[in-house]
Structure formats: C-alpha cells, structure tokens
Amino acid sequence: MHEVNDLRRLTLFSELSETEAEMLKRFVSVKKYRKGEIIFLDTEPYSGFYGILEGMVKIYKISNEGREHILHLEYSGSTFGEVPMFENMSSDFEGGLTYPANATALEETTTVVLVPMKPFLEFLKSNNNVCLKMLSAFAKRMRFLNSHIESITLDDVSKRLSRYLLKELEKKGRKSSDSDIELEITKYDLASHLGTILETLSRAFRKLHNEGIIEVKGKTISVLDVKGLRRYQK
Amino acid sequence: MHEVNDLRRLTLFSELSETEAEMLKRFVSVKKYRKGEIIFLDTEPYSGFYGILEGMVKIYKISNEGREHILHLEYSGSTFGEVPMFENMSSDFEGGLTYPANATALEETTTVVLVPMKPFLEFLKSNNNVCLKMLSAFAKRMRFLNSHIESITLDDVSKRLSRYLLKELEKKGRKSSDSDIELEITKYDLASHLGTILETLSRAFRKLHNEGIIEVKGKTISVLDVKGLRRYQK
DNA sequence: CGTAACCTTGATTAAGATCAATTCTCGTGG
DNA sequence: CCACGAGAATTGATCTTAATCAAGGTTACG
C-alpha cells in the first residue's frame, strides 16, 4: 500500500521538490513490521534513521531488572533514530555507533522507510532546507524531552497523568471539540511512558475519577472537568 | 578580558572562517554575570541563544513547591537556549516564544555572548556548515537527555551517582590518569542534577564509601575501585 | 575568629513498587 | 451464538526507597 513515493508524507520531507524527493528515493528502502516486532535495539550497529509511513512505534529503554521506560511514542509522519547520524561528526566521538534506544512497532501494520546514513549526509550538504527542518524537528523533540524530565522529577504520578491527558485533549482539540480521549496505546505502555507501572497508573486514574474530573470506560477517557484537570497539575 | 573576538572559542563556531566570524560579531553582544545571577527565566520572551566564553551555567526547572531540577550543567565553550530559535519554523507553532528553562551563572565571573534570533537565522541560511554543527550539538544533547531520563526512571540514587562519577572520570581521563574527581559544583546542585535532594545524595555517597568504592574528602572524590563503580550501576 | 553557607546524620512519613489475587474484555473456534 | 482462554486492567496488602523534618557539625572566607 505505502510506497517509496509517499516520502513526502514525512514531515521532515514535506517541502521537498519533486527532484529532491527523487534523489532520496534512490537510497531509501521500505520495511513492514507487525505489532510487537522489533525495529532496532540499542545494542545494534547504526545504519540510518527511520520514517513512519503508517502505524505507530515506541522508543524505549529497558533496565537490567527488565523494567521498561518509553521515551517517545511516534506516529505516522514522524522520524526517529536520527541522533547517531550526527554523532560521528563531533570530535570526541570514538568507537562504533549504536542506536540510542530500542524501537518496536505498536500496530499490526507498521510501514517505515529506512534512510541510510552515508548517502543522506551527502544529501544534507546540498540541502540546507532539510537541514533547517531537521533542526526544527530536533528542537521540538528536545522541548518534549525537557518537559518529560521536568514532569518525572517534579510531579507525582497523578499530575503526570493529568498533564498527559491535557496534551491529548489539545491534540484532539484541533479536530473535534468534544472532551473524549481515545487512548491509542495500552495502559501498560502508558504507565511505562509516564515512568511508572500499571498498578500505580490504575490508582492515578481512580484518583482523578474520585475527584470528579474524569470518567474511564476502557480505553475511552471522558474529561468532565477540564478546568479541574488544568488546576490539578499546578 | 573575554571579548567578541573569542567567538571561535565556542565549539559551535570553532570552524568558522575569519570572514564568517566577522559577520557574526556584528550582531552578537557580550554579557557578564556574577555567581548566582539569573541569565534568563523560563517565563521570559525569547531573544536568542547564549554561548559561554568563561564560567559555568546551570539550566534548570523549578516545581510549584519550589523544588529545583538541573537539566544541564554547561561549561565554557558550549551554547544553550538554542531550542526556541527553531520552534517558530514548525507549522504548529502558536503564540510567543519563551525560554524552555531557567539559566543561572554558577561562577563568580561568567561571561557569555548573546546571539539574537533573527540575524542568526539569516546567517544560518547561507552557512550549511554551522547548520550541520548545530545538528551535531543537538544530537549530543539529545543523547544526554535520553540517558538522563533513562537513569532517573530506571536507576536508584546510588546508581545514578555512580554513573555520574564514571562520566566525570572519563572526562578527566583524557587529561590525567589518576582517579580523583574534583566536584565543580556544590553537592546541593549535584543532588538537584541527579533528581534528588541533598540528604539523599549524602547517604548515597556514604553507601558507596561503605562498600569501599570511593573516598570522600570535601569536594574531592577518590575512586578506589573503578571496577566496583562500573559493576555498581549494572 | 566569627558567621554564613555547606554538608551530614538520625527519626519519621509518604509515595510508589512489588506481590498476589481477581475481574474484565474481547477475539477465536466449537 | 456461546464458551473459553489469554491478555489487559483493577484492587488490596505489604515492602522499599526516598522525601521531609529536625538538629548538629564542618568549612571557607571576609
């Protein structure tokens, strides 16, 4: 279904000209994964970054005790695994590059493109445009990481949850105006993303429910009191 | 002492040609701060990023309860506050830009340059080189943020401390080979950086000491058993 | 040499992880 | 269409870690 022709579906490449996209096409390759399949591990040698044409991917780390923490959830249109590409440029680089985290497909049909390092770096040199776009994408991700750290170190679990729900509301907000949130991931994954575990997340949902702020019905969260939610994380 | 002429002391600009440096000089300005002085707050409107010519700066967030968390410690040669510069480029940008965190000088004589947004973005358009350097700096920082999150969510405080000490050893390692670490910051700031508080950090030091791994004498940490330290965080 | 900033230690409390037992939900095959 | 079973989620009891509260000690520096 999705082909190399869809390259411009990726935000990073959305403004490429026809000829530029053609150049890219020559060296990228399309791959498909099923739910739960691993795209790369943080131990693997680096070959290039990925862009999502369809589906959803989680980027995560695992502790020695086996606990998992999800750093990012990436959706169709976005890219991941770009970081190492720019690390062989810094003077203090030594040894082989690896991916910074693990990546696994979350949806049954997840289609990605692999953009290999060397040809892409060449491509970048003559495409200041894409360079700037990439900086913009990095900036966005850093802002996200900052606020993620902030929330993990300074907020308790219910606050983190309310923060997450508000962000989801904002996302939906652009499309529809009702205040129902449909969780796109399992609560296990959500817990891992919020830096906690399933049981604790469950109790946080209950707490917000008891305060009359939300209603939980499976994967559907109805926000009854947006102001309350906003007040909550302050 | 430090002047606009020192622009190439910043890693980001270290490879600029004479003429390029000249261009930059026209619009940057030098500022000096004393220990404890605030450089910017996360509520302030964004004007541009900073580069450190001399001294040290902490980048941090503060919770509503007044707890502080240090995201980065930046030293002479590095830049900070670049993120918002690339955020007005993304399509979903709305409203005025602010700094993503607070910045405060940690040393008595801290000298920085302010690089204002608009002229620098213009400059970037014709300097693919600097663009790539910036990507490399961003990549490095993201790698750091990732491992920071990993350590905060998956390790306990003593592990985080041992991780920190190992990184410091590595840094020193390039210069001298002995295994003494001279803390450049107060233990209060270190605690804040490790996502904990002074008392807990103190106990973590004691724990590592009791295991015979380190010796603590004020701001000097002697690592007696590097292997033990390495083993510790696994 | 005195004072303020810095650090340590102990006792107590609180948040969240772990362990264990159910319950709920939903897709699949009988 | 129902029943079964597996994965997902909830709930309770207990344990662990780290935050908080409180007091005292140490160091650096004017």
Side-chain angles (χ1 to χ4, degrees):
Chain A
M1 177 187 176
H2 287 291
E3 291 307 323
V4 193
N5 300 353
D6 297 317
L7 267 185
R8 274 180 290 186
R9 293 168 55 94
L10 302 176
T11 312
L12 187 59
F13 300 140
S14 61
E15 281 159 29
L16 286 188
S17 70
E18 186 64 43
T19 28
E20 288 165 335
E22 281 296 328
M23 278 185 68
L24 268 184
K25 262 188 233 171
R26 279 184 222 139
F27 55 82
V28 305
S29 54
V30 174
K31 296 185 173 205
K32 285 179 188 291
Y33 297 88
R34 309 194 60 194
K35 187 174 174 177
E37 281 186 340
I38 292 170
I39 302 175
F40 56 72
L41 294 176
D42 60 5
T43 49
E44 263 173 53
Y46 186 70
S47 56
F49 71 88
Y50 290 81
I52 307 178
L53 295 180
E54 185 186 5
M56 192 173 167
V57 172
K58 68 173 170 181
I59 312 293
Y60 60 102
K61 279 283 189 175
I62 293 186
S63 76
N64 301 293
E65 293 80 32
R67 271 182 59 208
E68 171 189 305
H69 181 81
I70 295 179
L71 295 165
H72 298 284
L73 293 165
E74 300 289 0
Y75 304 84
S76 162
S78 60
T79 47
F80 59 95
E82 309 96 322
V83 167
M85 182 160 285
F86 303 100
E87 285 187 316
N88 58 355
M89 297 164 57
S90 59
S91 54
D92 58 341
F93 164 75
E94 24 187 84
L97 285 173
T98 56
Y99 286 92
N102 310 292
T104 291
L106 284 185
E107 285 182 4
E108 203 44 51
T109 313
T110 296
T111 313
V112 300
V113 283
L114 169 60
V115 183
M117 177 159 70
K118 281 199 175 174
F120 184 72
L121 281 177
E122 281 308 312
F123 175 80
L124 260 196
K125 282 184 193 158
S126 49
N127 276 277
N128 198 276
N129 221 15
V130 181
C131 241
L132 286 170
K133 266 241 157 179
M134 213 136 187
L135 278 172
S136 165
F138 273 22
K140 199 173 165 192
R141 194 167 310 163
M142 277 209 277
R143 175 75 77 161
F144 179 84
L145 285 173
N146 276 338
S147 97
H148 192 62
I149 292 178
E150 185 188 347
S151 122
I152 283 172
T153 51
L154 302 174
D155 295 344
D156 63 22
V157 174
S158 327
K159 276 191 188 177
R160 279 179 252 166
L161 174 57
S162 68
R163 220 184 240 253
Y164 176 85
L165 292 176
L166 277 171
K167 275 192 193 160
E168 286 302 299
L169 262 191
E170 265 177 51
K171 265 207 250 171
K172 300 263 160 176
R174 293 174 202 147
K175 299 168 198 163
S176 82
S177 64
D178 85 304
S179 47
D180 275 14
I181 298 165
E182 192 64 30
L183 295 182
E184 294 145 310
I185 50 177
T186 67
K187 287 183 184 169
Y188 174 86
D189 279 342
L190 178 54
S192 160
H193 185 48
L194 296 179
T196 185
I197 58 174
L198 192 54
E199 294 94 319
T200 304
L201 174 64
S202 185
R203 290 183 242 266
F205 268 123
R206 172 145 302 280
K207 198 172 169 192
L208 289 181
H209 171 77
N210 288 342
E211 306 233 354
I213 295 176
I214 60 170
E215 194 74 54
V216 184
K217 198 111 195 156
K219 281 199 184 306
T220 310
I221 319 295
S222 308
V223 179
L224 309 174
D225 179 4
V226 185
K227 280 190 181 177
L229 200 58
R230 225 181 291 278
R231 198 177 336 106
Y232 201 83
Q233 37 145 20
K234 281 191 185 147
Chain B
M1 177 184 178
H2 287 291
E3 289 308 322
V4 192
N5 299 354
D6 297 317
L7 266 185
R8 276 179 289 185
R9 294 169 52 97
L10 301 176
T11 313
L12 186 60
F13 299 140
S14 60
E15 282 159 29
L16 285 189
S17 70
E18 186 64 42
T19 28
E20 287 166 336
E22 281 297 326
M23 277 186 67
L24 268 184
K25 265 189 230 172
R26 278 184 220 139
F27 54 82
V28 306
S29 55
V30 174
K31 296 186 174 205
K32 284 177 188 291
Y33 297 89
R34 311 196 57 195
K35 188 174 172 178
E37 281 186 341
I38 291 168
I39 301 174
F40 56 70
L41 293 175
D42 60 4
T43 48
E44 263 173 53
Y46 185 69
S47 56
F49 72 87
Y50 289 82
I52 309 179
L53 296 180
E54 184 187 5
M56 192 173 167
V57 173
K58 67 173 173 183
I59 312 293
Y60 59 102
K61 280 284 193 176
I62 293 187
S63 77
N64 300 293
E65 292 79 31
R67 270 183 58 206
E68 170 190 305
H69 181 80
I70 296 180
L71 295 166
H72 298 284
L73 292 164
E74 300 289 0
Y75 303 84
S76 163
S78 61
T79 46
F80 58 96
E82 310 96 323
V83 167
M85 183 161 283
F86 303 100
E87 285 187 317
N88 58 355
M89 294 162 61
S90 57
S91 54
D92 58 342
F93 166 75
E94 22 187 85
L97 286 173
T98 55
Y99 285 92
N102 310 292
T104 291
L106 284 184
E107 286 182 4
E108 203 45 48
T109 312
T110 297
T111 313
V112 300
V113 282
L114 170 59
V115 183
M117 176 158 72
K118 282 202 173 171
F120 184 72
L121 281 177
E122 280 308 311
F123 175 81
L124 260 194
K125 279 182 194 159
S126 49
N127 277 277
N128 197 277
N129 220 18
V130 181
C131 244
L132 286 169
K133 267 239 155 180
M134 214 136 186
L135 277 172
S136 165
F138 273 22
K140 199 173 164 194
R141 194 167 309 161
M142 277 208 280
R143 175 76 77 159
F144 179 86
L145 284 173
N146 277 338
S147 97
H148 191 64
I149 292 178
E150 186 188 347
S151 123
I152 283 173
T153 50
L154 303 175
D155 295 344
D156 64 21
V157 174
S158 326
K159 277 192 188 174
R160 277 179 253 165
L161 175 57
S162 69
R163 218 184 241 253
Y164 177 83
L165 292 176
L166 277 170
K167 275 192 192 161
E168 286 302 300
L169 261 192
E170 265 176 51
K171 264 207 251 173
K172 298 266 159 171
R174 292 173 202 150
K175 299 169 199 164
S176 82
S177 64
D178 84 306
S179 48
D180 275 15
I181 297 166
E182 192 63 30
L183 295 181
E184 294 144 310
I185 50 176
T186 66
K187 288 184 182 165
Y188 174 85
D189 279 340
L190 178 53
S192 160
H193 184 47
L194 296 178
T196 184
I197 58 174
L198 191 51
E199 294 94 319
T200 303
L201 174 63
S202 186
R203 290 183 242 266
F205 268 122
R206 172 146 301 280
K207 198 171 169 193
L208 289 182
H209 171 77
N210 288 341
E211 307 234 351
I213 296 176
I214 60 170
E215 193 74 54
V216 183
K217 198 112 195 153
K219 281 198 185 306
T220 309
I221 319 295
S222 309
V223 179
L224 308 174
D225 179 5
V226 185
K227 281 191 179 174
L229 200 58
R230 226 180 291 278
R231 196 175 340 106
Y232 202 84
Q233 37 146 23
K234 278 184 185 148

